Amino acid sequence: MNLSQFPHLPNSVKIVEVGPRDGLQNEATIVDSKVKVELINRLSAAGFSNIEAASFVSPKWVPQMATSAQVMNSITRRAGVIYSALVPNKQGMEAALAAGVDEVVIFGSASEAFSEKNINCSIKESILRYRDVAVLAKANNIRLRGSISCSFGCPYQGAISPESVAVIVRQFRDLGCDEMDIADTIGVGTPRQVQTVMQHVMNEFPVSGLAGHFHDTYGQALANIYASLEIGISVFHSSVAGLGGCPYAKGASGNVATEDVIYMMQGLGIATGIDLNKLVDAGQFISRHLGRKSVSRAGNALASKFLT
Ligand code: HMG
Ligand code: MG
């Protein structure tokens, strides 16, 4: 067998830890801000260079994120770590600036129906709204990231064409995004579909700035990450202990568990800069606090080894 015929995988990848935001935003019981701070500090100590720590959205829409300013003001800032936050409008941007975030995330959708449900406006209106955010980000030298929900399917509309994902990516690119997340909000995508959508998107945005954001509802996320690696994607989002879901995507489960992703990357010889033992500890910490078992297979397997 000639191994050289197999695709070349990157030597290193960036893993963006989204648990404190995407993970916790869906928790019905309000998590104390001290616990969120402890989680973020444990994650930065584990070696993440980018942590999605907060969300400056309306507290009427997502009550769990109401303490975002307090969280941002209380974490121990590690040098070199980018602490990101979602912002839905100018009001959120002003709050994010006051809290000293390093990167703001504007979030749109490839699905018209999801845009209305999630941010209460059409796709076209969202672009106009985000223009104000983008101007403020550039004026303040803050990194701007774009996130495109429902890139592989929508809970309200069903199928989404790769062409419609590329159209919104182009519009977000023109706002000045430095990085672009292609999100499988409800975790329905499969590996070939992921490659097809990513290839459409690559015509609009440099591959080095594309990120795979895969929820694991149908158990496809690790396979989708591998399929993305094969075509040159090198940024992935994941959530410690597999926390999460989106409050506006009923039935969607959390992001792929970070512990599982790091375990796979280690096996592939791909550097992440993350200390897996410290990460497993962080996963067990938040799971204990939430009173349930982590959904990370690798995390639980490694934790049971430590305990024996
Ligand atoms: P709206 O109700 O149309 O907003 O919501 P509005 O401008 O009419 O304002 C209504 C009230 O909200 C006002 O307060 C505003 O001050 C307040 P009132 O006068 O009634 O007391 N308000 C705010 N408060 C704090 N911060 C703000 C803010 N904006 C308005 N930034 C809005 C529109 C966009 C605000 C709302 O729909 C919203 O906050 N949506 C966010 C929903 C959300 O966070 N969803 C989850 C995150 S997205 C996600 O998880 C997907 C992702 O992971 C990728 C993937 O997996 O697909 C990123
Ligand atoms: Mg998400």
Coordinates of all heavy atoms in Angstrom, one line a residue, residues 180-240:
M180 N -13.7 32.9 10.0 CA -15.1 32.5 9.7 C -15.4 31.1 10.2 O -14.8 30.2 9.8 CB -15.3 32.7 8.2 CG -16.7 32.7 7.8 SD -17.4 34.3 8.0 CE -16.5 35.3 6.8
D181 N -16.5 31.0 11.0 CA -16.9 29.7 11.5 C -18.0 29.2 10.6 O -19.0 29.8 10.4 CB -17.4 29.8 12.9 CG -16.6 30.7 13.8 OD1 -15.4 30.8 13.6 OD2 -17.2 31.2 14.8
I182 N -17.8 28.0 10.2 CA -18.9 27.3 9.4 C -19.5 26.3 10.3 O -18.9 25.3 10.7 CB -18.3 26.6 8.1 CG1 -17.4 27.6 7.4 CG2 -19.4 26.0 7.2 CD1 -18.1 28.9 6.9
A183 N -20.8 26.7 10.7 CA -21.3 26.0 11.9 C -22.4 25.0 11.5 O -23.3 25.3 10.8 CB -21.9 27.0 12.9
D184 N -22.3 23.8 12.1 CA -23.4 22.8 12.0 C -24.2 22.9 13.3 O -23.9 22.1 14.3 CB -22.8 21.4 11.8 CG -23.9 20.4 11.5 OD1 -25.1 20.8 11.4 OD2 -23.5 19.2 11.2
T185 N -25.1 23.8 13.4 CA -25.8 24.2 14.6 C -26.6 23.0 15.2 O -26.7 22.8 16.4 CB -26.9 25.3 14.2 OG1 -26.2 26.2 13.4 CG2 -27.5 25.9 15.4
I186 N -27.1 22.1 14.3 CA -27.9 21.0 14.8 C -27.3 19.6 14.5 O -27.9 18.6 14.7 CB -29.4 21.0 14.2 CG1 -29.3 21.2 12.7 CG2 -30.2 22.2 14.8 CD1 -30.7 21.0 12.0
G187 N -26.0 19.7 14.2 CA -25.2 18.5 14.1 C -25.7 17.4 13.1 O -25.6 16.2 13.4
V188 N -26.2 17.9 12.0 CA -26.8 16.9 11.0 C -25.8 16.6 9.9 O -26.1 15.6 9.1 CB -28.1 17.4 10.4 CG1 -29.2 17.4 11.4 CG2 -27.9 18.9 9.8
G189 N -24.8 17.4 9.7 CA -23.9 17.2 8.6 C -23.1 15.9 8.6 O -22.9 15.3 9.7
T190 N -22.7 15.4 7.4 CA -21.9 14.2 7.3 C -20.6 14.5 6.5 O -20.6 15.6 5.8 CB -22.7 13.1 6.6 OG1 -23.3 13.6 5.5 CG2 -23.8 12.5 7.6
P191 N -19.6 13.7 6.6 CA -18.3 14.1 6.1 C -18.2 14.6 4.6 O -17.6 15.6 4.4 CB -17.4 12.8 6.3 CG -18.0 12.2 7.4 CD -19.5 12.4 7.3
R192 N -18.8 13.9 3.7 CA -18.7 14.4 2.3 C -19.4 15.7 2.1 O -19.0 16.6 1.4 CB -19.3 13.4 1.3 CG -18.5 12.2 1.0 CD -17.4 12.5 -0.1 NE -16.5 11.4 -0.2 CZ -15.4 11.2 0.3 NH1 -14.8 12.2 1.1 NH2 -14.7 10.1 0.2
Q193 N -20.6 15.9 2.8 CA -21.3 17.1 2.7 C -20.4 18.3 3.3 O -20.4 19.4 2.7 CB -22.6 17.0 3.6 CG -23.5 18.2 3.5 CD -24.5 18.2 4.7 OE1 -24.5 17.3 5.5 NE2 -25.4 19.2 4.7
V194 N -19.7 18.0 4.4 CA -18.9 19.0 5.0 C -17.8 19.4 4.0 O -17.6 20.6 3.8 CB -18.2 18.4 6.3 CG1 -17.1 19.3 6.8 CG2 -19.3 18.3 7.4
Q195 N -17.2 18.4 3.3 CA -16.2 18.8 2.3 C -16.8 19.6 1.2 O -16.2 20.6 0.7 CB -15.5 17.5 1.8 CG -14.7 16.8 2.8 CD -13.9 15.6 2.3 OE1 -14.3 15.0 1.4 NE2 -12.8 15.3 3.0
T196 N -18.0 19.3 0.8 CA -18.6 20.1 -0.3 C -18.9 21.5 0.1 O -18.5 22.4 -0.6 CB -19.9 19.4 -0.7 OG1 -19.7 18.0 -1.1 CG2 -20.6 20.1 -1.9
V197 N -19.5 21.7 1.3 CA -19.8 23.0 1.8 C -18.5 23.8 1.9 O -18.4 25.0 1.5 CB -20.6 23.0 3.1 CG1 -20.7 24.4 3.7 CG2 -22.0 22.4 2.8
M198 N -17.5 23.2 2.6 CA -16.2 23.9 2.8 C -15.6 24.3 1.5 O -15.0 25.4 1.4 CB -15.3 23.0 3.6 CG -15.7 22.8 5.1 SD -15.7 24.3 6.0 CE -15.8 23.7 7.7
Q199 N -15.7 23.4 0.5 CA -15.0 23.8 -0.8 C -15.7 25.0 -1.4 O -15.1 25.8 -2.0 CB -15.0 22.6 -1.7 CG -13.7 21.8 -1.4 CD -13.7 20.4 -1.9 OE1 -14.7 19.8 -2.2 NE2 -12.5 19.8 -1.9
H200 N -17.1 25.1 -1.3 CA -17.8 26.2 -1.8 C -17.3 27.5 -1.1 O -17.1 28.5 -1.7 CB -19.3 26.1 -1.6 CG -19.9 25.3 -2.7 ND1 -19.9 24.0 -2.9 CD2 -20.7 25.7 -3.8 CE1 -20.5 23.6 -3.9 NE2 -21.0 24.6 -4.5
V201 N -17.2 27.4 0.2 CA -16.8 28.5 1.1 C -15.4 29.0 0.8 O -15.1 30.2 0.9 CB -17.0 28.1 2.5 CG1 -16.4 29.0 3.5 CG2 -18.5 28.0 2.8
M202 N -14.5 28.0 0.5 CA -13.1 28.3 0.2 C -13.0 29.3 -1.0 O -11.9 29.9 -1.2 CB -12.3 27.1 -0.1 CG -11.9 26.3 1.2 SD -11.1 24.8 0.7 CE -11.3 23.8 2.1
N203 N -14.0 29.3 -1.9 CA -13.9 30.2 -3.0 C -14.1 31.7 -2.6 O -13.8 32.6 -3.3 CB -15.0 29.9 -4.0 CG -14.8 28.6 -4.7 OD1 -13.6 28.2 -4.9 ND2 -15.9 27.9 -5.0
E204 N -14.6 31.8 -1.3 CA -14.9 33.2 -0.8 C -14.0 33.6 0.3 O -14.0 34.8 0.6 CB -16.4 33.2 -0.3 CG -17.4 32.7 -1.3 CD -17.5 33.6 -2.5 OE1 -17.1 34.7 -2.5 OE2 -18.1 33.1 -3.5
F205 N -13.4 32.7 1.0 CA -12.6 33.0 2.2 C -11.4 32.2 2.3 O -11.4 31.0 2.0 CB -13.5 32.8 3.4 CG -13.1 33.6 4.6 CD1 -13.5 34.9 4.8 CD2 -12.3 33.1 5.6 CE1 -13.1 35.7 5.9 CE2 -11.9 33.8 6.7 CZ -12.3 35.1 6.9
P206 N -10.2 32.7 2.7 CA -9.0 31.9 2.8 C -9.1 30.7 3.7 O -9.7 30.9 4.8 CB -7.9 32.9 3.3 CG -8.5 34.2 3.4 CD -10.0 34.1 3.1
V207 N -8.7 29.6 3.2 CA -8.9 28.3 4.0 C -8.2 28.4 5.4 O -8.7 27.9 6.4 CB -8.3 27.1 3.2 CG1 -6.9 27.2 2.9 CG2 -8.7 25.8 3.9
S208 N -7.1 29.2 5.5 CA -6.4 29.3 6.8 C -7.3 30.0 7.9 O -7.1 29.8 9.0 CB -5.1 30.1 6.6 OG -5.4 31.4 6.1
G209 N -8.3 30.7 7.4 CA -9.2 31.5 8.4 C -10.6 30.8 8.5 O -11.4 31.4 9.2
L210 N -10.7 29.6 8.0 CA -12.0 28.9 8.1 C -12.0 28.0 9.3 O -11.0 27.3 9.6 CB -12.3 28.1 6.9 CG -12.7 28.9 5.6 CD1 -12.9 27.9 4.5 CD2 -14.0 29.7 5.9
A211 N -13.1 28.0 10.1 CA -13.1 27.1 11.3 C -14.4 26.2 11.1 O -15.4 26.6 10.7 CB -13.3 27.9 12.5
G212 N -14.2 24.9 11.6 CA -15.3 24.0 11.7 C -15.9 24.0 13.0 O -15.2 23.8 14.0
H213 N -17.2 24.3 13.1 CA -17.9 24.4 14.4 C -19.0 23.4 14.3 O -20.1 23.6 13.8 CB -18.5 25.8 14.6 CG -19.3 26.1 15.8 ND1 -18.9 26.9 16.8 CD2 -20.5 25.7 16.1 CE1 -19.8 27.0 17.8 NE2 -20.9 26.2 17.3
F214 N -18.7 22.2 14.9 CA -19.6 21.1 14.7 C -20.3 20.7 16.1 O -19.6 20.3 17.0 CB -18.9 19.8 14.2 CG -18.2 20.1 12.8 CD1 -16.9 20.1 12.7 CD2 -19.0 20.4 11.7 CE1 -16.2 20.3 11.5 CE2 -18.4 20.6 10.5 CZ -17.0 20.6 10.4
H215 N -21.6 20.7 16.1 CA -22.4 20.1 17.2 C -22.5 18.7 16.9 O -22.4 18.2 15.7 CB -23.7 20.8 17.3 CG -23.6 22.2 17.9 ND1 -23.9 22.5 19.2 CD2 -23.3 23.4 17.4 CE1 -23.6 23.7 19.5 NE2 -23.3 24.3 18.4
D216 N -22.7 17.9 17.9 CA -22.5 16.4 17.8 C -23.8 15.7 17.9 O -23.8 14.5 18.3 CB -21.5 15.9 18.8 CG -20.9 14.6 18.4 OD1 -20.9 14.3 17.2 OD2 -20.4 13.8 19.3
T217 N -24.9 16.3 17.5 CA -26.2 15.7 17.8 C -26.4 14.3 17.2 O -26.9 13.4 17.8 CB -27.3 16.6 17.2 OG1 -26.9 18.0 17.5 CG2 -28.7 16.3 17.8
Y218 N -25.9 14.1 16.0 CA -26.0 12.8 15.3 C -24.7 12.0 15.3 O -24.5 11.1 14.6 CB -26.4 13.0 13.8 CG -27.9 13.4 13.7 CD1 -28.3 14.7 14.0 CD2 -28.9 12.5 13.4 CE1 -29.7 15.1 13.9 CE2 -30.2 12.8 13.4 CZ -30.6 14.1 13.6 OH -31.9 14.4 13.6
G219 N -23.7 12.4 16.2 CA -22.5 11.7 16.4 C -21.5 11.7 15.2 O -20.7 10.9 15.1
Q220 N -21.7 12.8 14.4 CA -20.8 12.9 13.2 C -19.6 13.9 13.4 O -18.8 14.0 12.5 CB -21.7 13.4 12.0 CG -22.9 12.6 11.7 CD -22.5 11.2 11.3 OE1 -21.8 11.0 10.3 NE2 -22.9 10.2 12.0
A221 N -19.6 14.5 14.5 CA -18.6 15.7 14.6 C -17.2 15.3 14.4 O -16.4 16.0 13.7 CB -18.8 16.4 15.9
L222 N -16.7 14.2 15.0 CA -15.3 13.8 14.9 C -15.0 13.5 13.4 O -13.9 13.8 12.9 CB -14.9 12.7 15.8 CG -14.5 12.9 17.2 CD1 -14.1 11.7 17.9 CD2 -13.4 14.0 17.3
A223 N -15.9 12.7 12.8 CA -15.7 12.4 11.4 C -15.7 13.6 10.5 O -14.9 13.7 9.6 CB -16.9 11.4 10.9
N224 N -16.6 14.6 10.9 CA -16.6 15.8 10.1 C -15.3 16.6 10.3 O -14.8 17.3 9.4 CB -17.8 16.7 10.5 CG -19.1 16.0 10.0 OD1 -19.1 15.2 9.1 ND2 -20.2 16.4 10.6
I225 N -14.7 16.6 11.5 CA -13.4 17.3 11.7 C -12.4 16.6 10.9 O -11.6 17.3 10.2 CB -13.1 17.2 13.2 CG1 -14.0 18.2 14.0 CG2 -11.6 17.6 13.4 CD1 -13.8 18.2 15.5
Y226 N -12.4 15.3 10.9 CA -11.3 14.6 10.1 C -11.5 14.9 8.6 O -10.5 15.2 7.9 CB -11.4 13.0 10.3 CG -10.2 12.3 9.7 CD1 -9.1 12.2 10.5 CD2 -10.3 11.8 8.4 CE1 -7.9 11.6 9.9 CE2 -9.1 11.2 7.9 CZ -8.0 11.1 8.6 OH -6.9 10.5 8.1
A227 N -12.8 14.9 8.1 CA -13.0 15.3 6.7 C -12.5 16.7 6.4 O -12.0 17.0 5.3 CB -14.5 15.1 6.4
S228 N -12.7 17.6 7.4 CA -12.2 19.0 7.2 C -10.7 19.0 7.2 O -10.1 19.8 6.4 CB -12.7 19.8 8.3 OG -14.1 19.8 8.4
L229 N -10.0 18.2 8.0 CA -8.6 18.2 8.0 C -8.0 17.8 6.6 O -7.1 18.3 6.2 CB -8.0 17.2 9.1 CG -8.1 17.5 10.5 CD1 -7.8 16.3 11.4 CD2 -7.2 18.7 10.9
E230 N -8.7 16.8 6.1 CA -8.3 16.3 4.8 C -8.3 17.4 3.7 O -7.5 17.2 2.7 CB -9.3 15.2 4.3 CG -9.1 13.8 5.0 CD -9.9 12.7 4.4 OE1 -10.9 13.0 3.8 OE2 -9.5 11.6 4.5
I231 N -9.1 18.4 3.8 CA -9.1 19.4 2.8 C -8.5 20.7 3.3 O -8.7 21.8 2.6 CB -10.6 19.6 2.3 CG1 -11.5 20.0 3.4 CG2 -11.1 18.4 1.5 CD1 -12.9 20.6 2.9
G232 N -7.7 20.6 4.3 CA -6.9 21.8 4.7 C -7.4 22.7 5.8 O -6.8 23.7 6.1
I233 N -8.6 22.4 6.4 CA -9.1 23.2 7.5 C -8.2 22.9 8.7 O -7.9 21.8 9.0 CB -10.6 22.9 7.8 CG1 -11.4 22.9 6.6 CG2 -11.1 23.8 8.9 CD1 -11.7 24.2 6.0
S234 N -7.9 24.0 9.5 CA -7.0 23.8 10.6 C -7.4 24.6 11.9 O -6.6 24.8 12.8 CB -5.6 24.2 10.2 OG -5.5 25.6 9.9
V235 N -8.7 25.0 11.9 CA -9.2 25.6 13.1 C -10.6 24.9 13.4 O -11.4 24.7 12.5 CB -9.5 27.1 12.9 CG1 -10.0 27.8 14.2 CG2 -8.3 27.9 12.3
F236 N -10.7 24.5 14.7 CA -11.9 23.8 15.1 C -12.4 24.3 16.4 O -11.6 24.7 17.3 CB -11.7 22.3 15.2 CG -11.2 21.7 13.8 CD1 -9.9 21.5 13.5 CD2 -12.2 21.5 12.8 CE1 -9.5 21.0 12.3 CE2 -11.8 21.0 11.6 CZ -10.5 20.7 11.3
H237 N -13.7 24.3 16.5 CA -14.3 24.7 17.8 C -14.8 23.4 18.5 O -15.3 22.5 17.9 CB -15.6 25.5 17.6 CG -15.3 26.8 17.0 ND1 -16.2 27.9 16.9 CD2 -14.1 27.3 16.4 CE1 -15.6 28.9 16.3 NE2 -14.4 28.6 16.0
S238 N -14.7 23.4 19.8 CA -15.2 22.3 20.6 C -15.5 22.8 22.0 O -15.1 23.9 22.4 CB -14.2 21.2 20.6 OG -13.0 21.7 21.2
S239 N -16.2 21.9 22.8 CA -16.7 22.3 24.1 C -16.3 21.3 25.1 O -16.6 20.1 24.9 CB -18.2 22.4 23.9 OG -18.8 23.0 25.0
V240 N -15.7 21.8 26.1 CA -15.2 20.9 27.2 C -16.4 20.1 27.7 O -17.5 20.6 27.9 CB -14.5 21.7 28.3 CG1 -15.4 22.7 29.0 CG2 -13.9 20.8 29.4

